[in-house]
Amino acid sequence: MLEVKNIRENIDTIKHRLKKRGMSDDALLILDEIIVIDDKRKQSQTSNDAILSQVKSLSGQIGSLYKSGNREEADQLKTQVTALKEEGSKYEQELKDAEEALYQALLTVPNVPHDSVPAGQTEDDNEVHKPWHTDLPTLEHNLPHWELGSKYNILDFELGNKITGAGFPVFRGKGSRLQRALINFFLDEATAAGYEEIVPPLLVNEDTARGTGQLPDKEGQMYYMERDNLYLIPTAEVPVTNIVRGNLMTEDQFPVKFTAYTPCFRREAGSYGADVKGLNRVHQFDKIEIIQIQHPDKSYETLQQMVDHVESLLVKLELPYRILRLCGGDLGFTSALTFDFEVYAAAQKKWLEVSSVSNFETFQSNRLKLRYKDQSGKKHLAHTLNGSALALARIIAAILENNQVADGIRVPTVLQSYTGFEFIN
RNA sequence: GGAAGAAUGGCAGAGCUGGUUUAAUGCACUAGUCUUGAAAACUAGCGUGCCGCAAGGUACCGGGGGUUCGAAUCCCUCUUCUUCCGCCA
C-alpha cells in the first residue's frame, strides 16, 4: 500500500511510473481522488476533535457541579453536551467514511515500479537481464519428467489424483529422497549466507494474509478454512515476513535475514493445458524462501545479493538458466522490481520459472507497520525483499529431464552427499 | 471440549465502589550536575497514531460493540494467557 504522503509529494513521478504497468490516464485519476479523500479526512478530524474537546471540558464541569450540589446547573450543561454530541456524531461519521474510502482507494493502487523496470504488457515484454551463456542442451533421450517419473517409480500423479485430486503429485522412493536432498541443500546454502532458519505455521490468520498483501487482492489464490477463518499459505513469505509485523526497529538491526522451507498451496483456478502438465504447475509444492528486511538506502544492494545467491544455487545444480527483469505489465502488484529465474527443461524444450526475487520497498511495510528509528529518532518504513531459493517442483522437473541418460537419471554432484546415491534407475 | 481467573506504557506494578488519572510508583533508558574516570546521588526528559506552521488538540489501558453528561473502571462479545478437568500425537 502506498503512503498518502508519498502520493502527495511525488504524484507526477508516481503516475509516470505506474504507466509502465499499463495503467491508463483515467485509472491514474485515483491518485488525485486519494488526495481529495485525504483532505476530507483531515477536515473531518479537525472538526470532530474540536467538538470532543468541548464535550470533555463540559463533562468535567458537570462532575464538579454535582459534587458541590449544584444539580440544576449540571442538568443544564447536560442538555448542552447532548446537543454538541449530536453535531459531533456527524463529523465522526464523516471521518469514519473518509478513512474507509481512503483505505479502499489505496488498496487498488499497485506498487510504483522501479526506474529500471521496462515498460510492457505481458511476459513477452520481459527483458532478458542475463541470458544463458551457451547453446541450450539437446538430449539423446528426451522423455518429459512426468514420463520419467513413472518409468523410475519416483513420481506418481495418478496416485495424487486418487488421494486428493489433480495437482497434488506423490513422490516416492528416490524421488522423495531427491526432494529431501534439495530442501536440505537449499537450507544449508541459505544458512551459510547468514539467513536464520524459521519453521513457520502453514496456516495463517486474516491479519497476516493482509500484512503481505495476499488479502484482499489475491484471496482466490489461497485455500481457505472457513470453519476456523484461516488460510493455507501460498508461500513462506506470508508467515515469515509477518514475524516483524508492527515492529519498530533500530538501524543497527538491519539487515534481518530469514529463510524457511515450507510446502506452498495454490488454488490456481482455471489453468489448463501444456503449461500445467506434470510438475509445471501444481497445487502443492515445496519451496525454500529467503527474506530480508533492510534499510531503504541499502535495499537494492541487498536485492542484488539475493539474485547472486539464487544464481549460485543454479550454477551448483548445473542447470541452464536465465534471469529476466520483469516488465511493468508482468510485475506483481506489490513489487517495485522483480527478477525471475527460469531453468531450461530440455525434454519439454521449455523455460520454467523457479524463482522470483523482489524488492517491495515500503509497499509491504506500510501495511505491516514495519518501521525503524533513525539516529535523530525519526521513524521511517523499512524495505522488505524476498525470493525463492528455490521452488522445488520445477527444479526437480528440470533435473530429471536434463540429466536423463539411456538407463536412468544422474544426480547433480552437489546433491549426492544429500541423497546418498548418484543415480536414479 | 468443560470450569475458574487474568490481560494496564520497554519491563514490573497501582488504579478497577465511574468524575483534578492530563494512567501513580519503581526499574530500565536518554541528557545534565558532581567526579581524574566510573559507580552512587541529584536534576530533567522518557509510549504510539492522527490533526495542526506552532501553541496545542484528539484517540489508544488485549480486539470490537454498548450504557453514561463523563469509562482503564460498569455491561455484551471475541481473542489470548494461567490453573484445574476431559481428550490426544
Side-chain angles (χ1 to χ4, degrees):
Chain A
M1 202 158 63
L2 297 183
E3 293 170 280
V4 180
K5 192 167 149 253
N6 186 18
I7 296 175
R8 280 182 185 277
E9 288 167 7
N10 306 302
I11 187 159
D12 291 333
T13 319
I14 291 176
K15 280 187 174 179
H16 176 72
R17 296 237 186 120
L18 282 174
K19 280 187 184 171
K20 289 184 184 176
R21 286 185 180 270
M23 283 179 78
S24 67
D25 288 334
D26 270 3
L28 287 169
L29 287 176
I30 186 74
L31 295 174
D32 302 284
E33 233 173 273
I34 283 170
I35 293 176
V36 171
I37 296 169
D38 193 48
D39 285 339
K40 178 72 185 162
R41 187 192 115 257
K42 292 180 177 188
Q43 204 180 23
S44 304
Q45 176 163 350
T46 305
S47 307
N48 190 41
D49 280 1
I51 301 268
L52 284 175
S53 177
Q54 288 183 63
V55 169
K56 225 169 142 177
S57 134
L58 288 175
S59 292
Q61 288 177 42
I62 292 172
S64 334
L65 287 172
Y66 271 125
K67 263 189 189 155
S68 62
N70 201 337
R71 212 158 248 282
E72 268 180 42
E73 213 175 316
D75 287 341
Q76 211 179 332
L77 280 184
K78 270 199 202 179
T79 48
Q80 226 183 94
V81 173
T82 309
L84 264 178
K85 281 183 73 185
E86 190 163 335
E87 193 190 345
S89 68
K90 189 183 73 187
Y91 295 124
E92 197 184 334
Q93 191 57 47
E94 271 179 20
L95 179 61
K96 274 188 184 169
D97 290 348
E99 280 173 344
E100 177 62 18
L102 184 64
Y103 178 66
Q104 291 303 332
L106 284 170
L107 282 180
T108 66
V109 183
N111 202 355
V112 181
H114 185 259
D115 195 34
S116 70
V117 169
Q121 295 302 308
T122 69
E123 57 186 67
D124 299 328
D125 300 319
N126 292 335
E127 171 190 307
V128 179
H129 176 66
K130 182 167 187 180
W132 179 236
H133 54 79
T134 175
D135 291 339
L136 289 171
T138 48
L139 300 173
E140 206 172 315
H141 304 275
N142 59 353
L143 293 177
H145 67 268
W146 51 89
E147 286 181 30
L148 292 166
S150 50
K151 180 175 178 186
Y152 298 112
N153 201 24
I154 53 175
L155 179 54
D156 194 329
F157 293 96
E158 290 303 312
L159 204 46
N161 286 343
K162 172 181 165 187
I163 298 170
T164 305
F168 292 90
V170 176
F171 292 87
R172 57 196 307 170
K174 285 186 172 177
S176 306
R177 185 80 186 208
L178 176 63
Q179 174 111 334
R180 187 149 59 86
L182 281 163
I183 293 166
N184 287 332
F185 168 61
F186 291 146
L187 283 175
D188 285 352
E189 292 287 309
T191 303
Y195 292 88
E196 180 190 355
E197 185 176 339
I198 304 289
V199 180
L202 305 182
L203 291 166
V204 295
N205 60 30
E206 244 176 282
D207 285 343
T208 295
R210 197 174 294 113
T212 33
Q214 272 65 35
L215 289 180
D217 39 273
K218 287 186 199 156
E219 181 157 19
Q221 188 198 59
M222 290 185 290
Y223 287 97
Y224 175 54
M225 315 275 137
E226 191 170 12
R227 190 167 169 177
D228 300 291
N229 197 24
L230 295 171
Y231 296 84
L232 265 169
I233 59 168
T235 160
E237 165 196 347
V238 179
V240 175
T241 309
N242 271 278
I243 288 173
V244 293
R245 168 154 52 97
N247 284 14
L248 182 58
M249 307 177 42
T250 52
E251 284 180 300
D252 57 8
Q253 290 176 296
F254 291 127
V256 176
K257 301 171 82 174
F258 293 131
T259 184
Y261 150 69
T262 68
C264 301
F265 303 91
R266 301 203 180 166
R267 295 182 66 239
E268 311 274 13
S271 304
Y272 298 98
D275 285 348
V276 305
K277 197 107 206 262
L279 293 173
N280 291 358
R281 182 173 296 169
V282 285
H283 289 308
Q284 178 186 327
F285 61 96
D286 288 343
K287 182 158 66 66
I288 285 74
E289 189 79 1
I290 51 175
I291 288 154
Q292 292 209 40
I293 315 298
Q294 182 57 288
H295 190 285
D297 292 346
K298 294 188 185 152
S299 68
Y300 279 94
E301 201 179 299
T302 294
L303 181 67
Q304 187 56 46
Q305 281 170 20
M306 292 169 78
V307 166
D308 292 345
H309 178 79
V310 173
E311 184 170 10
S312 75
L313 299 176
L314 292 171
V315 169
K316 287 180 184 171
L317 289 173
E318 307 162 45
L319 291 168
Y321 66 91
R322 63 181 187 183
I323 307 176
L324 305 178
R325 185 191 295 264
L326 294 194
C327 73
D330 206 25
L331 197 61
F333 189 83
T334 55
S335 175
L337 178 61
T338 295
F339 292 101
D340 269 9
F341 282 75
E342 294 184 333
V343 297
Y344 190 69
Q348 297 183 68
K349 296 190 167 57
K350 272 171 111 81
W351 290 98
L352 302 178
E353 181 192 333
V354 293
S355 177
S356 193
V357 185
S358 304
N359 187 352
F360 304 100
E361 298 192 359
T362 60
F363 198 84
Q364 282 185 333
S365 56
N366 191 26
R367 279 201 207 177
L368 291 163
K369 298 273 176 288
L370 168 59
R371 296 166 304 161
Y372 69 92
K373 237 183 219 183
D374 67 21
Q375 300 197 323
S376 68
K378 276 194 81 177
K379 296 170 195 75
H380 312 272
L381 293 172
H383 280 194
T384 63
L385 305 96
N386 69 44
S388 351
L390 287 159
L392 250 66
R394 291 175 185 164
I395 287 287
I396 288 181
I399 288 175
L400 297 184
E401 293 188 15
N402 294 11
N403 294 2
Q404 62 182 302
V405 291
D407 56 346
I409 296 156
R410 187 183 62 80
V411 174
T413 313
V414 73
L415 291 181
Q416 288 173 6
S417 63
Y418 288 95
T419 54
F421 52 82
E422 298 171 11
F423 210 66
I424 297 171
N425 52 15

